[in-house]
Amino acid sequence: MPQNKRESLIYTAIMCFTMVFWMSMYNVTMHLGKLDMETIREGWLGFPFAYLYAIIFDWFIVSKPAKAVAFRYFVKPESSPMKKGIIISCCMVVPMVIVMSFYGALEACLKGGTWNLLLLIWLTNIPKNIIMALPFQLIVAGPLVRKVFRSAFPEGTILVKA
């Protein structure tokens, strides 16, 4: 887990990249009903804006309250790193799914001109996304990103500026 703000920013950038890329491909596949080069192209074209949206919401809005909930109700500072990682991941995924599902609904309405369906699309996207995002985060993205992060930046190599 990140030890300071610099590490946290780098970790967030890597995690958001992983999650947004995977979830973009998942959502485009669900929307198009197939997985092929067109799906990958559509997902990749929509990725930069979705990534920026996710980074902004993660860093400025979701992260602090999610960690506060995790440490208030579920874990203690002395809890094992694994337990803290799992609980914080769960507390982050749920609000991020809500926020990113709204982004997806906005994107769908923008492409389809169906603004009257925005609320319906958003609310139906949330359960579809939570059933993919939470297991993916816990089983694949979380362990993978932590491994990549600590391999690239061993503990103590990213220092807080004095």
Side-chain angles (χ1 to χ4, degrees):
M1 295 300 291
Q3 303 296 319
N4 58 53
K5 283 217 183 256
R6 284 185 186 180
E7 285 189 1
S8 190
L9 182 60
I10 294 166
Y11 181 85
T12 298
I14 298 168
M15 182 60 76
C16 277
F17 182 93
T18 305
M19 289 300 295
V20 172
F21 181 74
W22 179 262
M23 293 305 294
S24 293
M25 294 305 154
Y26 169 73
N27 279 288
V28 172
T29 300
M30 295 288 287
H31 177 72
L32 295 178
K34 61 184 178 177
L35 176 60
D36 59 9
M37 289 309 290
E38 179 189 356
T39 306
I40 294 168
R41 185 180 63 80
E42 285 294 316
W44 189 248
L45 288 174
F47 175 79
F49 291 114
Y51 179 66
L52 183 61
Y53 183 89
I55 286 278
I56 289 168
F57 272 87
D58 185 307
W59 188 256
F60 294 107
I61 297 169
V62 173
S63 183
K64 192 172 182 178
K67 289 175 185 172
V69 167
F71 281 100
R72 180 169 183 173
Y73 298 107
F74 302 111
V75 293
K76 303 283 183 246
E78 61 274 4
S79 296
S80 74
M82 184 177 196
K83 183 176 180 181
K84 286 191 280 192
I86 290 169
I87 296 299
I88 291 170
S89 291
C90 291
C91 290
M92 292 287 294
V93 166
V94 173
M96 285 303 291
V97 162
I98 293 167
V99 165
M100 294 308 293
S101 293
F102 182 71
Y103 175 85
L106 284 173
E107 193 174 49
C109 290
L110 182 66
K111 286 182 180 178
T114 54
W115 293 101
N116 57 323
L117 299 176
L118 177 65
L119 183 62
L120 179 65
I121 293 169
W122 180 32
L123 294 177
T124 57
N125 279 349
I126 292 170
K128 291 175 192 174
N129 286 328
I130 199 84
I131 63 169
M132 176 56 77
L134 191 57
F136 182 72
Q137 167 59 246
L138 295 174
I139 298 167
V140 179
L144 176 69
V145 170
R146 281 191 290 278
K147 174 91 172 134
V148 167
F149 178 76
R150 276 299 163 216
S151 295
F153 307 104
E155 215 164 308
T157 61
I158 301 176
L159 303 173
V160 178
K161 234 182 187 177

